[in-house]
Amino acid sequence: MEEAIIEEKADFENIEILSDFANNFLNEIKMPEQQKQEFLMAIDEAITNIVTYAYEEGKQNNIKIILSQKNGHAVAELIDSGKKFDPSKFPEPNLD
């Protein structure tokens, strides 16, 4: 199993650093381009949500990303110490 770890401050200026790290890992494991783009979109969205919503202004902490390949699949773990998202506090989205 191949694994890569990065930890950076949860700040907008570090989104590109974290995204590039994930992209480089996916290139190393030779993920097909279409799957890679979808995987990166999900990671970028998660990182952006952490940076935008998890911390109060001026109280950012770190985001740790652990990327691995298990049984032929890429796995991403994003770890932060920010506020937890509670989906029960929001109405169901209208998907129509």
Side-chain angles (χ1 to χ4, degrees):
M1 173 181 69
E2 192 170 340
E3 184 175 87
I5 300 171
I6 188 172
E7 188 166 348
E8 293 286 339
K9 186 171 181 155
D11 200 317
F12 285 105
E13 65 190 32
N14 290 331
I15 292 174
E16 187 173 354
I17 292 168
L18 296 165
S19 183
D20 287 347
F21 172 80
N23 187 51
N24 290 338
F25 176 81
L26 298 174
N27 285 335
E28 284 180 26
I29 65 168
K30 298 179 179 20
M31 179 178 272
E33 190 62 32
Q34 180 65 35
Q35 288 177 313
K36 182 175 79 168
Q37 293 307 318
E38 292 169 0
F39 197 89
L40 287 172
M41 186 183 309
I43 289 175
D44 286 348
E45 180 70 16
I47 293 168
T48 301
N49 286 342
I50 291 168
V51 169
T52 304
Y53 302 112
Y55 299 103
E56 294 178 27
E57 185 66 36
K59 295 186 178 183
Q60 290 88 349
N61 207 331
N62 290 351
I63 300 173
K64 182 177 186 177
I65 300 177
I66 303 170
L67 299 172
S68 59
Q69 185 178 29
K70 297 178 184 173
N71 300 321
H73 298 281
V75 177
E77 293 179 69
L78 283 76
I79 302 165
D80 70 276
S81 60
K83 295 183 289 190
K84 293 185 180 188
F85 175 70
D86 183 358
S88 69
K89 292 186 177 185
F90 297 91
E92 289 288 324
N94 181 357
L95 303 176
D96 295 327

